[in-house]
Amino acid sequence: MSGNGKLETKRIVTYAVVIILVALSLSYFIPGIHKNVEVNYSEKTLFVNNNTLVNGGVVSPPSYPLLTHQILYDPVHDYIVTTNDTSIFVINSSTDQVVKSVQFNYPYVPYHQLPPSFGDTHIFCDPLNGNIYFLNNMLNSTQVINGKTLQVKNFTSLSKAFPFVYDPFNNYFYGTSLTNFSIAVFNSSLSLVDTIPVPGFAIYLRYDLAYNPLNHDIYALTSSEVNHRFFYNISVISPENTITATINDSIPRGWFITYLPAYHSMFVCNTTTIEEINSTNHVRILQNYSYRYSNIAVYSVCMNDSSNFMLVLGNQIWVLYNLSESGGTLPSSNSYSTSSAPSYGVYNPKTSQFYIENEYSNGAISIFKIEVKEQGYAFSWYNPFSSF
């Protein structure tokens, strides 16, 4: 090959390398090809305080709302159970009407006048018999609503701990201890049978424990403090009630954990991020919404047992398809600020409805029927290699 030929070859190679480098550096701005997802839904709104059901969404929040805090599904009697600042409500999901309500907190009392027992009220639906347990701060006791008769009685066995999740493999219930911040273990009669110390302390929240049916382990959100800095972990508890692993949580301050059967994984949420943990405890960041949205608030995820989409709940209701494709947002009356959010939800497999609690809607529950399907492909002007 002549000298000119060699020079021309080098020039071509140099041009090719430059083009590749420029293409890679500009890839962030190249429109990404992704599936076009169509979301169809119907919506109702239930105001639990006056037991009023209306079609459509809520127009605007009241000036002084009653915040909703927790929502659970009772599969034995097909109830939706929720709370606000003052009361617990049992909803018959076949009619979407409140069939029982009990006041457990004093309304609008200044904090310095509250009794020592006042605080966040936890609820638990026993999947074995459909009974509903809750902390009554006005009576300074635990009470139970009989799922069959809806009668209310005192229940004295839960004075120092409260159950949150059931492990059908060993027939034990698990919850956070109220006294020493360990994990409490209950038998089927809800009597305390064991206490599991955890690194640091267990986070005493409403959604800090979850059961994985693949490995029969309980996953608990835990925290510790070193040099006045908090570190958050996930303690993995075996059916023998021992901690077999401690996962260093890559999400700072995770506050929601759940198992989603359709993906065979655990999911952890905080204000910006969703993290996935598989049955071998491999951890990956699934979505980081802070890259795309400002003033974000991600509290939890919700889906049915077999669908290919999930609802991401925060200051909006996002539809996430196949863990990666955006289906947009559902209309929400509570997108005014990050503190006024549809924070938690449950799915009822018998009615195929999602029940989403709306904090600043005076006790409103948004009820959705949702269908998601693919409609070809589309372009988006964002990094095609980004997770979302």
Side-chain angles (χ1 to χ4, degrees):
M1 181 180 292
S2 66
N4 289 338
K6 292 181 179 179
L7 182 62
E8 182 65 24
T9 300
K10 291 181 178 179
R11 184 180 293 113
I12 293 174
V13 172
T14 301
Y15 287 160
V17 171
V18 170
I19 291 173
I20 292 173
L21 291 175
V22 171
L24 290 175
S25 63
L26 293 178
S27 65
Y28 184 89
F29 304 102
I30 298 175
I33 301 176
H34 63 99
K35 295 176 182 177
N36 189 24
V37 178
E38 180 183 62
V39 178
N40 299 309
Y41 70 94
S42 61
E43 181 181 3
K44 296 180 290 186
T45 302
L46 173 63
F47 294 93
V48 294
N49 291 310
N50 56 16
N51 203 13
T52 300
L53 181 68
V54 298
N55 289 322
V58 182
V59 177
S60 62
S63 57
Y64 198 97
L66 285 170
L67 304 185
T68 52
H69 295 295
Q70 190 175 4
I71 187 165
L72 302 175
Y73 174 59
D74 185 342
V76 177
H77 299 288
D78 201 27
Y79 290 143
I80 302 297
V81 185
T82 188
T83 62
N84 64 15
D85 281 340
T86 65
S87 304
I88 182 172
F89 301 91
V90 180
I91 302 167
N92 184 330
S93 62
S94 63
T95 61
D96 290 329
Q97 292 290 293
V98 175
V99 293
K100 187 70 176 183
S101 63
V102 181
Q103 183 178 345
F104 53 61
N105 275 345
Y106 297 92
Y108 315 128
V109 177
Y111 281 104
H112 66 277
Q113 297 180 12
L114 292 175
S117 61
F118 182 86
D120 203 3
T121 296
H122 296 295
I123 59 177
F124 172 69
C125 297
D126 190 332
L128 300 180
N129 53 36
N131 291 338
I132 303 159
Y133 298 83
F134 64 99
L135 299 178
N136 192 321
N137 293 313
M138 297 176 63
L139 302 179
N140 194 21
S141 67
T142 300
Q143 292 191 299
V144 56
I145 302 175
N146 186 297
K148 185 176 182 179
T149 65
L150 297 179
Q151 292 180 339
V152 181
K153 294 182 178 180
N154 289 340
F155 191 84
T156 58
S157 298
L158 302 178
S159 59
K160 296 182 180 180
F162 200 81
F164 289 107
V165 66
Y166 174 63
D167 184 344
F169 184 76
N170 59 14
N171 202 31
Y172 282 149
F173 297 86
Y174 294 82
T176 306
S177 172
L178 304 178
T179 54
N180 56 10
F181 298 104
S182 58
I183 301 299
V185 184
F186 308 85
N187 60 20
S188 58
S189 300
L190 296 186
S191 296
L192 187 65
V193 295
D194 200 357
T195 301
I196 306 171
V198 296
F201 56 89
I203 300 175
Y204 187 62
L205 296 176
R206 295 178 294 272
Y207 300 98
D208 60 350
L209 291 165
Y211 168 69
N212 188 332
L214 292 182
N215 54 25
H216 309 298
D217 289 339
I218 299 293
Y219 288 67
L221 300 182
T222 57
S223 178
S224 58
E225 184 181 7
V226 179
N227 296 327
H228 304 288
R229 293 184 59 191
F230 280 101
F231 295 86
Y232 292 84
N233 306 301
I234 300 171
S235 296
V236 182
I237 302 172
S238 72
E240 291 74 35
N241 297 333
T242 60
I243 295 179
T244 58
T246 300
I247 302 171
N248 295 322
D249 194 357
S250 57
I251 295 180
R253 197 173 182 178
W255 56 30
F256 175 88
I257 185 168
T258 190
Y259 175 80
L260 297 182
Y263 299 122
H264 309 294
S265 294
M266 311 294 297
F267 291 85
V268 183
C269 298
N270 77 345
T271 54
T272 61
T273 312
I274 303 174
E275 181 180 73
E276 182 184 19
I277 306 172
N278 65 17
S279 59
T280 61
N281 294 335
H282 175 73
V283 183
R284 70 172 179 135
I285 298 293
L286 176 63
Q287 298 290 333
N288 191 336
Y289 286 84
S290 63
Y291 292 149
R292 195 172 181 189
Y293 297 96
S294 60
N295 297 322
I296 196 70
V298 174
Y299 295 119
S300 67
V301 293
C302 176
M303 69 177 300
N304 68 34
D305 290 349
S306 59
S307 71
N308 49 15
F309 72 94
M310 68 171 66
L311 301 184
V312 180
L313 306 176
N315 58 327
Q316 299 273 344
I317 303 176
W318 294 273
V319 178
L320 184 60
Y321 180 75
N322 277 345
L323 300 182
S324 60
E325 302 290 341
S326 173
T329 60
L330 298 181
S332 168
S333 63
N334 301 301
S335 57
Y336 300 103
S337 68
T338 57
S339 63
S340 54
S343 303
Y344 302 102
V346 292
Y347 177 77
N348 184 339
K350 294 183 180 179
T351 62
S352 302
Q353 294 185 143
F354 290 90
Y355 292 78
I356 311 298
E357 54 94 2
N358 285 333
E359 284 196 0
Y360 276 82
S361 298
N362 204 15
I365 302 296
S366 293
I367 305 171
F368 290 98
K369 275 196 173 182
I370 303 171
E371 179 188 24
V372 177
K373 56 184 178 180
E374 297 178 13
Q375 291 289 337
Y377 291 85
F379 290 88
S380 291
W381 289 96
Y382 63 89
N383 180 9
F385 306 109
S386 175
S387 63
F388 189 72

